[in-house]
Amino acid sequence: MKFDCIVVGGGHAGYEAALVSSRMGLNTLLLTLNLDTIAQLSCNPSMGGLGKSQLIFEVDRLGGEIGYATDLTGIGFKMLNTKKGPAVWSLRAQIDRKRYRENMRKTIMKQKNLSVKQEEATEIIVERRKAIGVRTRTHSQNPVEMEYFAKTIVVTTGTFLNGLVHIGLHHHSAGRMGELPSEELSNSLRNLGFELGRLKTGTSPRVDGKTIDFSQTTPQLPDPNPANFSYRTKDFNPPKVACYITHTNQKTQELILKNLDRSPLYQGVITGIGPRYCPSIEDKCVKFKEKESHQVFIEPDGLDTDEYYLNGLATSLPADVQVDMLHTIPGLEDVEIIRPGYGIEYDFVFPHQVYSSLETKRVKNLFLAGQILGTSGYEEASAQGIIAGINAGLRVKKHSPFILKRNESYIGVLIDDLVTQEILEPYRMFTSRVEHRLILRQDNASERLMKYGVKFGLVGKIYYEEIENIKTKVKSKLKELKGHRVTPDVVNPILEKHKSALITQPTPIFQILKRPEIKWEMLEPIAGLLEPEICTQIELHAKYDGYIKREHELVKKVKSLEGYKIPLEFDYLKVNGLSYEAREKLSKIRPLTIGQANRISGVRSADVTRLLVALKSRALIH
């Protein structure tokens, strides 16, 4: 059977790639090991949060599904970091795990141009360094081997490549608890010459809510009037279900340290490297012995279940130790475990082997996305999935690849980090990784990226026209406010009421709005009413005007380096004066621009200067 695109894997990278590919008009096949676990939330039942909400907003404005599905199945939404600047405001949603999965599966099964098959991909078929198809096997009493051919292949296998689940010193092969791993595909990628590594992640125990004493915990209530993720969502009024917080204590720590001889992590059974920024509870107790207490978030799994996820207690300790550990924590003294936490090791492909389009350098027409490239998190996977899917579509249509820059999106930062940095642990997105975060806010994702969604036929023009209309209104209102001077007798009563310094001469309203203590609604009696979307943008522009201008100036400077292209076959060994480390890193990563070269760890400013001189002397750049 022949297709335009085959997507391997039905996780968060897989469903985005498959949906966007089919929506671009490609005849697409999605291969998954289990139809019932498409879009499974394998870890915590939540979406968004610091650095991750920005990815969801961006994927949504490109035409992706994660934001809309979250709005439809979320059971509690909360805006984080509101006491800080807008650059780090981040929306977080608690999700109904079952409903999210069912909603996404329904969307996929109804999607035009998209076929779905429950088969294991065992081999990438390659001819003359071009991917042309996938070999598969059914898991049945009499397995059947099949071959499917396509113009492009997107591999999004998550934790399934040679997956190994650990609970105590016992381990077994699995891609997720209770699901088969993908073993032969790892060998296929190795045989094609890809360099693979080994990573580790983990999940927390899930417990019976009927056995939790919530009176000993602190409730975390969702926002009463919550924001939502997707531009498609209308009349937003989700359920408002609380999460709860408790803490480990010295007894918890002592019990864990006492049982490290039964920990696969500390007995050398697990060899893969785990996430530094989301460590297991064993790691927390060993590496931060001076800290006697660690926060535990008790998160509901859905509206129709009493199952709760204990975020912050990822562990691979034996099940009996997990029970004893939980019984030392306030509110969990009599708790019963429904599903134990576990650690999982899996193979990944070192991401310096892909371009920023996520096409592999070694095999043409083969794209990778998600945890197979060393990332962690639903949101990071979704972001890569939509880029891989779009670029697979563009390859079939014989168009240039779509590459987002660092200065225009969090997605651009994510992918640029992957292809230029050494990934030795699961990569997680943070706002701190984004140097231009003040101009890459979640609130202006539409303005930045929706034009691309429209261009690729993934977003309706009517939505873009609405955004452009708001943008025009904001620009017009800002101009008006900068020119509209108010006299002291008009504005001073308002300033005095809100304990703000009085003015002595006519002053533009824009200047008054810059004050931290002044909100737009305070000035409405003299400045007029505004639509909520316009009001938010006006306030942000006023209060961060100088900072935003400075960010745009920095972006202009960085763009100059990105303009210098480096030929893929350039020989770095012949550049005089380059450090040994720079030669090694540049030859391995093969950056496409001087800007990328400048971001490679171990490449110094002096190396970049020598590289520029060498390229100019060879008339490769001007």
Side-chain angles (χ1 to χ4, degrees):
M1 298 179 69
K2 291 185 178 181
F3 295 88
D4 292 316
C5 180
I6 296 174
V7 177
V8 178
H12 302 277
Y15 67 66
E16 294 289 6
L19 286 171
V20 76
S21 169
S22 55
R23 288 168 180 171
M24 288 176 73
L26 273 65
N27 183 19
T28 304
L29 170 65
L30 174 62
L31 293 170
T32 177
L33 283 164
N34 190 341
L35 285 171
D36 297 327
T37 55
I38 287 175
Q40 176 76 302
L41 302 174
S42 309
C43 196
N44 55 313
S46 67
M47 287 288 186
L50 305 183
K52 291 172 175 278
S53 71
Q54 288 82 354
L55 291 172
I56 296 179
F57 276 93
E58 291 181 356
V59 170
D60 182 76
R61 272 44 172 195
L62 290 172
E65 200 67 24
I66 187 172
Y68 189 53
T70 296
D71 288 348
L72 291 176
T73 61
I75 58 177
F77 291 73
K78 190 175 184 65
M79 191 69 75
L80 307 180
N81 268 357
T82 53
K83 292 182 179 179
K84 298 182 180 180
V88 293
W89 292 353
S90 301
L91 183 60
R92 183 186 185 277
Q94 199 63 36
I95 302 293
D96 187 311
R97 193 191 301 268
K98 180 183 176 183
R99 291 186 183 188
Y100 187 92
R101 185 178 65 240
E102 289 177 346
N103 172 270
M104 195 64 76
R105 179 180 173 180
K106 186 177 179 180
T107 299
I108 287 169
M109 299 307 286
K110 286 187 172 183
Q111 178 60 47
K112 183 183 176 182
N113 300 324
L114 180 57
S115 303
V116 185
K117 293 185 181 294
Q118 182 172 291
E119 297 175 23
E120 179 189 358
T122 58
E123 185 180 353
I124 306 298
I125 304 172
V126 175
E127 283 186 4
R128 297 175 185 175
R129 299 192 67 176
K130 289 184 180 180
I132 62 167
V134 179
R135 289 195 177 92
T136 71
R137 180 185 299 116
T138 60
H139 287 280
S140 55
Q141 191 170 3
N142 298 304
V144 177
E145 295 190 349
M146 298 286 292
E147 288 186 349
Y148 300 99
F149 295 92
K151 297 171 184 176
T152 54
I153 316 291
V154 183
V155 179
T156 68
T157 45
T159 60
F160 281 72
L161 283 184
N162 272 334
L164 197 63
V165 162
H166 297 266
I167 302 179
L169 300 181
H170 168 77
H171 57 266
H172 63 277
S173 295
R176 229 174 354 226
M177 181 65 81
E179 296 188 57
L180 295 169
S182 176
E183 296 176 334
E184 292 181 56
L185 194 56
S186 268
N187 294 330
S188 172
L189 291 169
R190 281 196 180 89
N191 291 338
L192 290 172
F194 289 101
E195 181 187 356
L196 273 62
R198 195 85 169 146
L199 292 176
K200 171 259 178 189
T201 189
T203 69
S204 299
R206 295 175 173 89
V207 299
D208 186 347
K210 297 189 296 293
T211 64
I212 299 173
D213 181 1
F214 289 104
S215 67
Q216 294 192 62
T217 68
T218 305
Q220 298 292 298
L221 301 176
D223 292 338
N225 299 301
N228 63 280
F229 284 105
S230 180
Y231 70 89
R232 289 191 276 166
T233 301
K234 306 298 179 187
D235 303 319
F236 188 57
N237 186 27
K240 297 175 179 64
V241 180
C243 295
Y244 301 84
I245 290 179
T246 185
H247 294 82
T248 65
N249 50 52
Q250 191 170 359
K251 286 184 179 179
T252 316
Q253 183 164 337
E254 288 172 355
L255 188 141
I256 290 171
L257 295 176
K258 180 182 175 182
N259 284 279
L260 288 181
D261 61 331
R262 301 178 66 193
S263 164
L265 189 62
Y266 283 91
Q267 294 305 308
V269 178
I270 292 177
T271 58
I273 301 172
R276 186 185 356 162
Y277 299 105
C278 189
S280 66
I281 188 62
E282 299 97 289
D283 257 348
K284 291 177 186 177
C285 289
V286 171
K287 294 177 180 176
F288 308 102
K289 286 184 180 179
E290 71 286 352
K291 190 173 182 180
E292 294 183 358
S293 177
H294 298 280
Q295 204 168 57
V296 180
F297 288 89
I298 304 174
E299 301 183 0
D301 227 51
L303 297 175
D304 304 321
T305 178
D306 282 317
E307 191 170 347
Y308 282 76
Y309 184 85
L310 301 180
N311 197 349
L313 287 178
T315 182
S316 54
L317 287 165
D320 61 303
V321 178
Q322 293 186 38
V323 172
D324 293 341
M325 171 183 71
L326 296 188
H327 288 174
T328 67
I329 300 172
L332 306 180
E333 291 91 345
D334 299 311
V335 80
E336 293 183 12
I337 291 180
I338 294 175
R339 313 174 200 226
Y342 62 89
I344 183 166
E345 286 185 282
Y346 55 95
D347 289 345
F348 79 106
V349 175
F350 285 101
H352 68 266
Q353 298 169 98
V354 300
Y355 297 112
S356 296
S357 64
L358 299 184
E359 183 181 22
T360 67
K361 296 175 180 177
R362 183 170 291 274
V363 178
K364 194 173 181 180
N365 302 336
L366 175 63
F367 297 80
L368 307 180
Q371 283 179 284
I372 192 173
L373 287 180
T375 60
S376 69
Y378 315 135
E379 302 86 352
E380 289 88 343
S382 178
Q384 294 168 73
I386 194 168
I387 296 300
I390 288 172
N391 279 315
L394 293 175
R395 172 54 56 83
V396 172
K397 295 172 183 285
K398 298 182 179 179
H399 294 163
S400 299
F402 173 54
I403 297 173
L404 283 168
K405 303 180 185 69
R406 294 183 72 92
N407 56 44
E408 64 179 337
S409 66
Y410 269 62
I411 297 175
V413 173
L414 165 66
I415 294 176
D416 189 67
D417 280 353
L418 290 178
V419 302
T420 60
Q421 304 300 320
E422 288 187 289
I423 302 301
L424 301 176
E425 61 180 288
Y427 178 100
R428 180 179 179 180
M429 177 52 71
F430 294 104
T431 56
S432 58
R433 295 188 190 274
V434 184
E435 57 269 32
H436 302 298
R437 56 186 172 273
L438 184 55
I439 59 174
L440 303 181
R441 307 180 307 274
Q442 60 181 23
D443 66 86
N444 68 359
S446 297
E447 183 182 333
R448 291 184 284 115
L449 299 180
M450 193 176 275
K451 60 189 175 187
Y452 298 122
V454 173
K455 178 182 178 181
F456 302 133
L458 303 170
V459 174
K461 288 184 179 180
I462 187 170
Y463 296 110
Y464 185 57
E465 287 168 359
E466 289 176 8
I467 297 304
E468 286 296 292
N469 185 38
I470 291 173
K471 186 177 174 182
T472 300
K473 287 181 179 179
V474 168
K475 188 175 180 180
S476 174
K477 193 65 180 179
L478 283 171
K479 184 178 180 181
E480 176 190 326
L481 294 175
K482 289 176 181 178
H484 183 182
R485 294 175 179 269
V486 288
T487 56
D489 62 302
V490 172
V491 77
N492 276 347
I494 296 173
L495 298 179
E496 186 175 16
K497 180 181 177 181
H498 296 287
K499 298 178 180 179
S500 187
L502 305 183
I503 63 171
T504 58
Q505 58 186 16
T507 305
I509 294 179
F510 185 77
Q511 291 300 122
I512 294 171
L513 192 57
K514 279 187 172 188
R515 300 180 181 189
E517 69 276 10
I518 299 299
K519 306 297 180 187
W520 179 261
E521 57 265 27
M522 300 173 187
L523 300 176
E524 281 180 347
I526 60 174
L529 294 171
L530 286 178
E531 298 167 52
E533 303 96 326
I534 296 173
C535 179
T536 300
Q537 291 299 315
I538 292 290
E539 275 209 40
L540 288 174
H541 276 280
K543 289 182 168 45
Y544 298 93
D545 184 45
Y547 298 103
I548 290 172
K549 285 179 179 176
R550 188 171 66 185
E551 282 298 314
H552 283 298
E553 288 301 315
L554 288 172
V555 167
K556 287 180 182 177
K557 291 179 181 179
V558 171
K559 275 185 176 179
S560 62
L561 289 179
E562 298 298 337
Y564 293 121
K565 307 293 183 184
I566 305 175
L568 185 62
E569 69 284 356
F570 186 76
D571 189 351
Y572 296 98
L573 300 179
K574 293 181 178 179
V575 179
N576 293 328
L578 278 185
S579 68
Y580 176 80
E581 184 179 10
R583 282 196 177 102
E584 186 178 49
K585 294 282 183 67
L586 291 166
S587 298
K588 180 179 181 180
I589 294 172
R590 296 272 158 201
L592 298 181
T593 68
I594 288 293
Q596 277 194 345
N598 192 45
R599 291 188 291 273
I600 296 173
S601 173
V603 177
R604 304 167 304 180
S605 297
D607 294 319
V608 173
T609 301
R610 290 186 176 96
L611 182 55
L612 267 171
V613 170
L615 288 166
K616 287 181 178 179
S617 69
R618 291 163 172 75
L620 296 174
I621 59 175
H622 303 284

